[in-house]
Amino acid sequence: MSIQLDAATYVHAKPATAHSYILPAVVDVLENSFQEANETAVFDLGCGTGGAASVLAEKGYDVVGVDPSEDGIAKAKAVHPDLPLEIGSGYDDLSSRYGTFDAVISLEVVEHVYDPKAFTATMYDLVKPGGIAVVSTPFHGYWKNLALAVSGKMDDHFMPLKSHGHIKFWSPGTLSTLLHETGFEDVDFEYVGRIPLLAKSMIAIAQKPN
């Protein structure tokens, strides 16, 4: 039996495949930024089925998350009933609803949003002064794009015939510009999944001024 997927449907509630190389780096970022996990509040913006939120909660972080997919949140609640994961969008006034957090993570989400400036503005409002935003997205740089073109893999990578999927393709320069224009400072990058020049994803770590 075939499974028809759309933007609001998940096959299962397991962590996404990309989490195998993204989450360890995100955990390291949080551990290097905050002294005690049990004193650190984290908001997961675009939590999907709760895979990342569950891992962070197990490590002692106080995690709250939202996702616009009713299907994703239903699966998250079935598998992680103790986690406060709810339906919500990066276009909502989330800070009025949930307050502010030491860190906001958003993993493999920003490439799916139509209005990234509104999305990162919501993220900015959720971060406490002096806190951080941690944003991962597929990496696009000169050498990786060249390798895709030379190998004939560009169509497979961008998947233009797939419904929904990725609609924005970020480089370190464009993502850094987006975060700086939102008001974040000191944007740094880590590269995961392969060697940096051909990385599968990049992780931006940005600080909100005090």
Side-chain angles (χ1 to χ4, degrees):
M1 182 180 68
S2 64
I3 299 174
Q4 297 298 318
L5 296 179
D6 59 34
T9 303
Y10 290 81
V11 177
H12 53 65
K14 298 177 182 178
T17 302
H19 285 173
S20 64
Y21 51 85
I22 293 171
L23 269 178
V26 171
V27 170
D28 286 345
V29 167
L30 295 176
E31 289 179 348
N32 291 333
S33 300
F34 305 101
Q35 292 184 343
E36 299 292 339
N38 59 10
E39 296 177 2
T40 303
V42 178
F43 193 91
D44 189 349
L45 183 56
C47 64
T49 58
S54 174
V55 169
L56 295 180
E58 289 174 358
K59 292 185 175 295
Y61 293 96
D62 181 13
V63 185
V64 175
V66 300
D67 195 277
S69 169
E70 293 183 8
D71 178 73
I73 294 300
K75 286 182 169 64
K77 288 183 176 295
V79 179
H80 312 293
D82 297 330
L83 287 179
L85 305 178
E86 300 177 347
I87 295 172
S89 166
Y91 303 137
D92 297 338
D93 184 5
L94 297 176
S95 60
S96 294
R97 180 176 171 186
Y98 295 101
T100 56
F101 296 77
D102 300 297
V104 174
I105 67 168
S106 187
L107 309 182
E108 308 299 279
V109 175
V110 70
E111 65 273 13
H112 295 274
V113 300
Y114 287 92
D115 189 345
K117 291 184 178 180
F119 182 81
T120 53
T122 297
M123 180 181 298
Y124 186 87
D125 290 342
L126 284 165
V127 179
K128 291 179 180 179
I132 61 171
V134 183
V135 183
S136 82
T137 189
F139 167 66
H140 293 90
Y142 174 79
W143 289 108
K144 181 178 179 181
N145 290 343
L146 182 62
L148 288 169
V150 170
S151 63
K153 298 293 186 180
M154 194 69 83
D155 282 347
D156 291 340
H157 178 72
F158 286 108
M159 297 183 294
L161 298 177
K162 182 180 179 181
S163 298
H164 308 297
H166 300 179
I167 59 173
K168 300 284 186 178
F169 302 96
W170 297 97
S171 68
T174 55
L175 186 56
S176 180
T177 297
L178 174 68
L179 292 168
H180 278 123
E181 289 182 348
T182 304
F184 288 105
E185 297 179 342
D186 302 325
V187 181
D188 293 319
F189 286 88
E190 295 190 10
Y191 301 89
V192 294
R194 296 190 194 98
I195 62 172
L197 287 177
L198 301 175
K200 291 182 178 180
S201 288
M202 59 185 177
I203 302 171
I205 304 100
Q207 186 166 24
K208 183 172 180 176
N210 282 300

